[in-house]
Amino acid sequence: MLGALVSEGIARALSKENFYDEVLTQDGNVLMHIIPPRDLRSWQAYPISAIANFRPVVIDNLAPENLKIVLAQNHFKRFPVIENEKLIGTLSRQEAELAIAQGRPPVLEKVATCRRSFTIAEVARLLIEAPGGFAVLEAGDKPAGVITLHDLLRAQENLAGRSSY
């Protein structure tokens, strides 16, 4: 037990992030730490922009060479797809890999969309029905960001953990 306490103290002195956040950061994930309000009702009334990722990886070219590059450079499971600056659907990593292997064009999924002004409660209901728990925040016809069911659950878990103290 003494060894665990000493190692924890040394780790905190040497790094500003915990081990798991450090690994996620090294893998290229951008961690945004937000402090949600204490009660769930006010939390659910927040706009979704409080927890959305506003740096989505957008696919604008479905050529196999481009898909290989996008898949190699990103770890995401779904990507918004645009054509002529307009959102036309989402592409799953699995479908992209299958399409490349089979030499066929990928089949896009229907895209669930929302606006920045939508509340967390509204988007939660949308994400439950959305393919892969994935929605795109639109600005006009373009994707401005993405939100996943995992983002929502992670933020709500953070709320629950903080309110129990």
Side-chain angles (χ1 to χ4, degrees):
M1 192 157 80
L2 180 62
L5 291 172
V6 170
S7 67
E8 177 69 20
I10 292 171
R12 287 179 186 227
L14 295 177
S15 178
K16 64 182 180 203
E17 295 180 335
N18 67 41
F19 173 78
Y20 300 104
D21 287 351
E22 188 76 30
V23 170
L24 288 171
T25 302
Q26 287 175 2
D27 288 344
N29 293 300
V30 178
L31 302 178
M32 293 179 273
H33 296 282
I34 62 165
I35 300 174
R38 282 207 165 292
D39 65 290
L40 187 58
R41 286 192 198 277
S42 63
W43 163 249
Q44 289 180 334
Y46 263 39
I48 196 61
S49 58
I51 62 173
N53 171 6
F54 287 102
R55 291 185 282 191
V57 176
V58 178
I59 296 176
D60 60 0
N61 178 353
L62 293 172
E65 301 79 30
N66 186 57
L67 291 180
K68 287 178 187 177
I69 293 169
V70 171
L71 295 178
Q73 292 177 348
N74 299 283
H75 66 281
F76 302 117
K77 292 182 181 177
R78 285 194 159 55
F79 304 90
V81 179
I82 63 171
E83 185 177 84
N84 298 325
E85 299 292 319
K86 185 174 179 177
L87 182 65
I88 60 170
T90 61
L91 178 63
S92 71
R93 174 177 288 277
Q94 182 180 13
E95 172 59 22
E97 290 169 347
L98 277 172
I100 292 168
Q102 296 172 357
R104 61 171 173 80
V107 177
L108 300 180
E109 295 175 339
K110 183 180 175 195
V111 62
T113 60
C114 58
R115 302 266 180 216
R116 288 180 180 214
S117 60
F118 279 34
T119 65
I120 288 175
E122 291 171 321
V123 175
R125 287 186 289 276
L126 175 71
L127 288 174
I128 291 170
E129 302 295 324
F134 180 90
V136 175
L137 277 74
E138 285 187 303
D141 288 336
K142 294 182 187 178
V146 296
I147 184 76
T148 66
L149 191 54
H150 289 115
D151 294 334
L152 182 64
L153 292 173
R154 194 176 304 116
Q156 286 190 201
E157 178 63 26
N158 190 14
L159 170 66
R162 289 180 193 275
S163 63
S164 65
Y165 293 107

